[in-house]
Amino acid sequence: MNYKRSSALFTEAQKVIPGGVNSPVRAFKAVGGTPIFVEKAEGAYLYDVDGNKMIDYINSWGPMILGHAYEPVVNAVIDKAKKGTSFGMPTEIETEIAALAVSMVPNIDKIRFVNSGTEACMSAVRLARGFSGKDKIIKFAGCYHGHSDSFLIQAGSGAITFGTPNSPGVTEGTAKDTLLANYNDLKNVEDVIAANKDEIACIIIEPVAGNMGCIPPAKGFLEGLRNLCDQNNILLIFDEVMTGFRLAAGGVQELFGVKADIVTFGKVIGGGLPVGAFAAREEIMNYLAPIGPVYQAGTLSGNPLAMAAGLAMLKELNENREVFKSINEKTAYLHKGIDEALASENIKFTINRVGSMISVHFSEKPVIDFASAAEANNENFKKFFHGLLNEGVYIAPSAFETWFICDALSYEDLDATIAACKKVAKQLK
Ligand SMILES: Cc1ncc(COP(=O)(O)O)c(C=O)c1O
């Protein structure tokens, strides 16, 4: 494939945008090569500025669950835009989408809309701290909750006592309030809690992890966290930015029947526009300004275009619950096909999948946490990524990302992808 125009645009972009991109993973640093500049997208396909067509397995990192340029969403945005694009005053549609979201997701009474998943998680943690009167939080190594300071933390030398910043600009003072635990390791969480007794406001987790590839929670892990939280007066935050309105209408709480105290959303809830949200039972949400003491605000929060896109998307998913079954079946079909394609070349690999989230790890060991995800063969991943791209299949340009399946994919698309995997497998070790 020819990427001449993408290359030229990347050169120009780098002159005025740091690294040429507005979000780092887009830069292809993990896989090498030049990022592809998109011209347009429709259904399951991306079209780049050089005229290449690709089957898209990223779908804007999750939001486009029904495919790109989905007509009801596009029309809702166009209709709204004609009436003005922002007012900074309440609008009826905010209540409409809030009521629908509350009706679809278990255990939430009220929801507040923000502009990104980062804001949602940052605000959820502030709310948990304000509500509980405690400062420390537990997060899991390899889970991503956006780029706010409290989350850009890695395990320190005393891993069960405090974390250290993993980006310059994050202060030691902030880092000391974030404790790191290992995903799927309940004993480790217990130890962290015991070492910080009565100081922990909340545990925040991707209840199905998607930021170290897809990693399912081990049997009993989420239930165990729920019990630990109950026993220690800790709030449990499910970061459902990826999983919300994707793995089920009610997200992971519905899928696995485990109750969270606060839930965060992003991606699908905005139908492809910049939206995040956080939600909880009334008692917790009433702690927020203007009725409660915890401050949180946004000039463009609840923006009419974003709400129109989100509402159109949620309505579609609410009225057609078969969608979840359909994307799960498509992903299962893809899983089986890729499994056979890689096995036929004796490649060492592990495929993880939950519903419509799937990832291929070039490791023969089970991938259950950050450490096991990091052990995989990245050289093979790079070849796999570029090989698939060459065949017109676009997956995330990093081994630490999940693929997001959308319902616009046809079984012919899936067969073409499996055939591409078979071809590329021959180039792997
Ligand atoms: C689980 C999770 N939480 C939070 C975020 C941050 O969302 P945003 O990129 O919209 O700020 C992401 C982004 O990928 C995510 O995957």
Side-chain angles (χ1 to χ4, degrees), residues 126-147:
R126 184 181 305 140
L127 179 58
R129 285 174 163 151
F131 183 78
S132 67
K134 295 184 275 184
D135 288 346
K136 292 188 179 172
I137 68 170
I138 295 180
K139 86 170 276 290
F140 292 89
C143 280
Y144 180 68
H145 307 292
H147 63 96

Side-chain angles (χ1 to χ4, degrees), residues 61 103 244 351:
W61 304 93
S103 76
I351 299 177

Side-chain angles (χ1 to χ4, degrees), residues 342 347-350 360-364 375-378 380-382 384 428-429:
L342 295 178
I347 313 284
K348 291 175 182 151
F349 70 99
T350 297
V360 179
H361 303 259
F362 291 100
S363 167
E364 59 192 333
E375 267 182 46
N377 178 339
N378 200 44
N380 259 354
F381 182 82
K382 285 186 199 172
F384 188 59
L428 307 178
K429 289 199 192 100

Side-chain angles (χ1 to χ4, degrees), residues 23 61 115-119 121 144-147 206 208 210-211 239-243 264 266-267 275 401 404:
S23 195
W61 304 93
N115 306 288
S116 66
T118 295
E119 255 187 272
C121 295
Y144 180 68
H145 307 292
H147 63 96
E206 289 179 68
V208 169
N211 283 291
D239 175 351
E240 298 230 37
V241 167
M242 270 189 188
T243 53
T264 63
K267 303 192 190 276
V275 179
E401 304 289 350
F404 297 101

Side-chain angles (χ1 to χ4, degrees), residues 6-80:
S6 272
S7 283
L9 289 177
F10 188 47
T11 303
E12 288 309 304
Q14 287 174 92
K15 293 178 188 164
V16 285
I17 301 172
V21 292
N22 281 312
S23 195
V25 73
R26 294 177 199 169
F28 277 23
K29 239 179 135 178
V31 289
T34 301
I36 294 164
F37 280 60
V38 179
E39 177 73 38
K40 63 169 188 173
E42 239 180 274
Y45 311 117
L46 289 169
Y47 300 85
D48 73 8
V49 289
D50 288 288
N52 302 308
K53 177 183 175 184
M54 290 157 279
I55 305 176
D56 185 13
Y57 285 99
I58 305 187
N59 286 292
S60 185
W61 304 93
M64 320 315 298
I65 191 168
L66 301 175
H68 291 283
Y70 190 70
E71 226 178 294
V73 173
V74 172
N75 290 341
V77 174
I78 292 171
D79 287 349
K80 263 294 176 232

Side-chain angles (χ1 to χ4, degrees), residues 12 21 40 49 54 59 120 146 151 154 162 190 212 244 257 299 338 352 365 375 388 396-397 427:
E12 288 309 304
V21 292
K40 63 169 188 173
V49 289
M54 290 157 279
N59 286 292
F151 304 129
Q154 61 201 355
F162 59 87
E190 263 181 70
M212 30 191 173
T299 299
I338 300 177
N352 282 351
K365 292 190 200 152
E375 267 182 46
L388 287 182
Q427 301 155 27

